[in-house]
Amino acid sequence: MNQPTASALDNQILLDALHRCVAACEHCATACLRDEHVGHMVGCIRLDRDCADICALTARLVARGSEHAKHVMKECVEVCRLCEAECAKHSHDHCQRCAAACKACAEACQAYLSE
């Protein structure tokens, strides 16, 4: 049986962080839409959706070994950091969990880019 290479393991860690971020952002956006003061959550919802989309795209490009993965990943880091900052402003548990997932994802992507 073949053992996975270090880079395959590194990619799996990155892919896991990207997928966790997608799920956290989708959950956060949905929960924010249910907030009684949804008008105050518009910025959060927009960033959640953008972040989920860029993370999903980045995960697909990484998984297929695309030559464009690192380029898109730079944008992913930027959007994750913006989403983290926005979600961190809100006291809702789902926003705090989303901020943590975005931070972890940005860090995983940055580590990958630094290799």
Side-chain angles (χ1 to χ4, degrees), residues 67 73 85 92 108 114:
E67 62 191 51
M73 195 175 299
H92 306 296
S114 298

Side-chain angles (χ1 to χ4, degrees), residues 69-86:
K70 285 193 174 188
H71 172 75
V72 172
M73 195 175 299
K74 291 175 187 173
E75 296 300 317
C76 186
V77 170
E78 181 179 332
V79 175
C80 282
R81 293 196 194 284
L82 291 170
C83 193
E84 174 195 358
E86 177 63 30

